[in-house]
Amino acid sequence: MPQLLLGLAIPRTFLLPEADQATFPGSAELTEAGVSVVAVPDRGHTIMLDNPEAFVRATASALTGREQD
């Protein structure tokens, strides 16, 4: 599914588990296409439930272009 981000002409962010960051296939391709790949700590497959605070911070940062406290 992340391949859908490649052709969009808008700012894009892809969230993934921090544990998968080094081994995620396609991460380099996304980055080369201008997609911000963000690793979210302490989460599993369901980011919104596993670490909602980190999900909100990462989403707010992606939407505003600023780091969230």
Side-chain angles (χ1 to χ4, degrees):
M1 287 302 211
Q3 295 80 5
L4 295 173
L5 296 172
L6 297 176
L8 298 176
I10 59 173
R12 298 142 301 160
T13 300
F14 181 76
L15 305 178
L16 74 156
E18 186 176 60
D20 294 345
Q21 184 177 15
T23 60
F24 179 73
S27 182
E29 184 180 13
L30 288 171
T31 302
E32 289 171 10
V35 177
S36 175
V37 178
V38 177
V40 179
D42 303 321
R43 64 152 274 212
H45 182 73
T46 312
I47 184 174
M48 298 77 76
L49 301 176
D50 295 339
N51 191 343
E53 293 86 9
F55 170 74
V56 169
R57 281 192 305 273
T59 301
S61 179
L63 292 172
T64 64
R66 295 180 288 151
E67 290 292 322
Q68 302 298 308
D69 297 328

